[in-house]
């Protein structure tokens, strides 16, 4: 089978070559004789010309240019709000500085005070109630039945006798007050006051009550 097919194919190819040669020879003759145009037309009508288009290799499609990389924009971050802290100025307190104290100058120690004096008050001798009695009552005051109490104060000399007498509280009757000092000056005797053992003037105070005996 293989050989038979090969022989048939060779005969067909040979016949085709011969026909082509004949056509070329005819066309050359027609051209030479001026009948080329008519002959070509008649042959064209009789022959079916099959245009064999040679497929051109497909054009390589150009790869589209790479899309430009999109730049990723960084997110917009709003800055935090600025907080301004206003610090009040410090309060300045003015402190009055006292003037410096004057230096203490040591002074000489004062002399020691003398020892306190020892004083003893004047003391009456005997009973003071005997210095004035019923017999000393003024007659007019006795007749009018006037009574009262007279306060007195006497100054005593260094000899113990009364130097002076004064009324410190009136009885309300001048004759009774006068009788009081008169009898005290005449009868009162004292032990004088002493200062460090030495007799000095002193004083004494008391009262006389004038009362009419029943």
């Amino acid at each position: 089978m293989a050989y038979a097919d090969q022989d048939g194919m060779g005969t067909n190819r040979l016949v085709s070559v011969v026909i082509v040669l004949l056509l070329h020879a005819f066309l050359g003759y027609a051209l030479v004789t001026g009948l080329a145009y008519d002959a070509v037309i008649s042959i064209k009508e009789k022959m079916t010309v099959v245009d064999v288009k040679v497929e051109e290799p497909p054009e390589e499609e150009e790869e589209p240019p790479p899309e430009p990389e999109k730049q990723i924009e960084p997110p917009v971050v709003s800055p935090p709000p600025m907080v301004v802290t206003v610090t009040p100025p410090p309060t300045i307190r003015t402190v009055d500085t006292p003037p410096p104290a004057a230096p203490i100058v040591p002074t000489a120690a004062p002399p020691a005070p003398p020892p306190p004096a020892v004083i003893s008050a004047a003391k009456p001798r005997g009973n003071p109630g005997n210095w004035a009695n019923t017999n000393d009552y003024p007659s007019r005051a006795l007749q009018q039945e006037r009574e009262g109490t007279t306060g007195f104060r006497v100054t005593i000399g260094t000899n113990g006798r009364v130097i002076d007498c004064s009324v410190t509280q009136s009885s309300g009757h001048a004759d009774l007050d006068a009788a009081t000092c008169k009898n005290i000056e005449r009868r009162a005797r004292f032990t004088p006051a002493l200062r460090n053992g030495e007799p000095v003037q002193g004083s004494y105070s008391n009262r006389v009550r004038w009362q009419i005996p029943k």
Side-chain angles (χ1 to χ4, degrees):
M1 290 296 292
Y3 291 107
D5 291 338
Q6 289 178 0
D7 290 340
M9 290 178 63
T11 303
N12 293 332
R13 189 177 292 178
L14 180 62
V15 172
S16 298
V17 171
V18 171
I19 292 171
V20 171
L21 291 175
L22 290 175
L23 290 173
H24 282 286
F26 179 75
L27 290 174
Y29 176 77
L31 290 172
V32 172
T33 61
L35 298 175
Y37 180 75
D38 295 333
V40 169
I41 292 175
S42 62
I43 292 173
K44 183 177 180 181
E45 291 176 355
K46 294 177 179 181
M47 292 182 63
T48 300
V49 179
V50 178
D51 293 333
V52 179
K53 295 183 178 180
V54 180
E55 295 182 358
E56 297 180 358
E59 295 181 358
E60 295 182 359
E61 295 181 358
E62 295 182 0
E63 295 182 358
E67 295 182 359
E69 295 182 0
K70 295 182 179 181
Q71 295 183 354
I72 301 175
E73 297 181 359
V76 179
V77 179
S78 300
M82 182 179 296
V83 179
V84 180
T85 304
V86 179
T87 304
T91 304
I92 300 175
R93 296 183 178 179
T94 303
V95 179
D96 294 336
T97 304
I104 300 174
V105 179
T107 57
V118 179
I119 300 175
S120 59
K123 297 177 182 180
R125 296 178 184 175
N127 186 6
N130 297 327
W131 294 344
N133 52 49
T134 305
N135 297 327
D136 298 325
Y137 215 106
S139 58
R140 182 174 290 185
L142 186 60
Q143 293 174 2
Q144 296 176 359
E145 297 182 355
R146 292 186 278 108
E147 297 179 345
T149 301
T150 302
F152 66 92
R153 177 186 180 86
V154 293
T155 302
I156 303 163
T158 55
N159 56 1
R161 296 180 70 90
V162 176
I163 299 175
D164 184 40
C165 176
S166 60
V167 176
T168 57
Q169 178 184 348
S170 175
S171 63
H173 307 285
D175 50 356
L176 295 179
D177 294 340
T180 298
C181 278
K182 178 181 178 181
N183 288 286
I184 294 299
E185 290 176 351
R186 185 177 60 176
R187 297 183 180 142
R189 298 291 182 271
F190 295 88
T191 299
L194 300 176
R195 182 187 182 93
N196 295 332
E198 296 293 331
V200 293
Q201 287 187 1
S203 62
Y204 176 81
S205 298
N206 207 333
R207 291 179 300 173
V208 174
R209 182 178 180 184
W210 297 96
Q211 185 176 11
I212 298 173
K214 302 297 183 183

